[in-house]
Amino acid sequence: MQTTLVLEQLLNGLQFGLMLFLLAAGLTLVFGIMDMINLAHGSLYMIGAYLIASIAAASGSFWLGLLGGIGATVLVGVLLERAVLQRFYRRDHLSQVMGTFAIMLMANEAVRMLWGPQPIQLNPPAALAGPVTLAPGLSYPAYRLFIIGVGLLVALGMYWLITRTRIGMQVRAGASNREMALAMGANVRLLFTALFAFAAGLCALAGGMLGPLLAVQVGMGESILILAFVVIVIGGIGSIRGALLGALLVGLVDTAGRTLIPLLFRQLMDAELAANAGPAVASILIYLLMAVVLFFKPSGLFPARG
């Protein structure tokens, strides 16, 4: 029983970590290349989840909702970048934080006006609704396995894009030495817009994947945005490889800690005390992990400007 529980939590951590990677990959590229602190990144995740849920409900198809929602969120991201965020590129980080925080608040209110204050339902496709038997005594939801597969495919696709294509070469050059990349003639405006559109699409994909597991509700982007920032600090700003490793570490530590630490505490102390202390300790594990990594590697595990 305990072995089964550990395996389930490892799979849950892998699934959550890969979804964090989708958010952190776009965030670390925007921060590393555009030097832009974008607190509205989580709002695109929320908007993507709402659009996917609405299109899926209207069409009756999760897949049409996913494709349509991602495309619509990319369009929202491009419009946001062209209309508003371009004005912040040459501003200091404090101006960027304040400006994108205001966008985040306005996005929350806009979603509340359009969809109402109550969470909305996003159901997984019927073909993936049941469990899959992975081993004797170990069944795991098919939809969560699908999420793991999608996350791995996106990670491999991003690896190929970054390491094997011309635009990937420009992205790596911009992440490692932004000024030199500009001096060598990179189309900065087009590259920035393309990066922001790509990041918005990844946000929508993460929102659509996690929507059936978590509540699609106003403000859903804030808590996961904090985790995404923890991921890029651990992995190294501007590094896709660091974002992947950092996301997997955070996903595994957060998921396993919330389940296993309370169980461990029940073996060591009174049940009531364990019930209070276990979740509290589990919630700080990822920040302890970040502190340990920064103590030994102040620039993160794989800094792009290393």
Side-chain angles (χ1 to χ4, degrees):
M1 180 65 180
Q2 293 300 320
T3 302
T4 301
L5 178 62
V6 170
L7 291 175
E8 287 179 351
Q9 294 309 310
L10 287 176
L11 287 171
N12 287 340
L14 177 62
Q15 169 247 302
F16 185 51
L18 288 170
M19 290 301 99
L20 277 179
F21 168 69
L22 297 183
L23 286 168
L27 188 61
T28 195
L29 289 177
V30 169
F31 195 3
I33 297 175
M34 300 161 68
D35 197 27
M36 174 76 182
I37 300 179
N38 181 22
L39 295 187
H41 195 74
S43 298
L44 292 171
Y45 162 79
M46 175 186 65
I47 290 170
Y50 269 92
L51 289 172
I52 290 169
S54 298
I55 297 173
S59 65
S61 170
F62 174 84
W63 308 111
L64 288 177
L66 188 63
L67 291 176
I70 291 174
T73 307
V74 168
L75 180 60
V76 170
V78 171
L79 293 175
L80 179 64
E81 191 268 344
R82 286 297 180 101
V84 180
L85 295 183
Q86 282 186 358
R87 304 173 185 273
F88 291 103
Y89 289 159
R90 297 188 180 277
R91 302 284 186 91
D92 56 58
H93 286 165
L94 178 60
S95 297
Q96 294 171 0
V97 167
M98 297 302 294
T100 55
F101 181 72
I103 293 172
M104 179 182 70
L105 296 179
M106 288 187 288
N108 286 343
E109 295 307 314
V111 167
R112 185 177 284 109
M113 287 189 295
L114 290 172
W115 282 280
Q118 299 301 319
I120 64 175
Q121 186 70 30
L122 176 58
N123 296 316
L128 301 174
V132 174
T133 301
L134 301 178
L138 176 59
S139 294
Y140 196 71
Y143 182 71
R144 288 182 180 267
L145 289 176
F146 171 71
I147 291 177
I148 292 173
V150 169
L152 291 174
L153 284 176
V154 172
L156 290 173
M158 289 189 65
Y159 173 79
W160 174 82
L161 179 68
I162 297 296
T163 62
R164 296 289 187 269
T165 65
R166 182 175 180 82
I167 191 171
M169 178 181 66
Q170 293 180 344
V171 167
R172 285 184 285 120
S176 60
N177 193 322
R178 182 170 176 258
E179 290 75 17
M180 184 60 70
L182 301 182
M184 294 299 291
N187 190 333
V188 179
R189 185 172 182 178
L190 180 60
L191 180 62
F192 282 11
T193 302
L195 278 176
F196 202 87
F198 184 65
L202 290 178
C203 285
L205 179 59
M209 292 289 101
L210 290 177
L213 305 179
L214 307 174
V216 179
Q217 60 185 351
V218 177
M220 63 185 290
E222 278 83 336
S223 58
I224 204 164
L225 177 66
I226 294 173
L227 293 180
F229 271 111
V230 170
V231 165
I232 67 172
V233 168
I234 290 175
I237 295 172
S239 170
I240 293 295
R241 177 176 56 167
L244 177 59
L245 181 57
L248 292 177
L249 287 174
V250 169
L252 289 170
V253 169
D254 183 69
T255 303
R258 292 181 185 279
T259 302
L260 300 180
I261 290 213
L263 291 178
L264 176 63
F265 278 17
R266 290 193 192 104
Q267 306 296 323
L268 302 176
M269 60 184 69
D270 177 73
E272 183 178 353
L273 181 60
N276 294 325
V281 172
S283 64
I284 67 172
L285 280 181
I286 58 171
Y287 304 106
L288 180 61
L289 171 65
M290 180 176 67
V292 170
V293 170
L294 292 181
F295 180 80
F296 293 102
K297 300 275 290 184
S299 299
L301 296 174
F302 300 104
R305 293 184 172 89

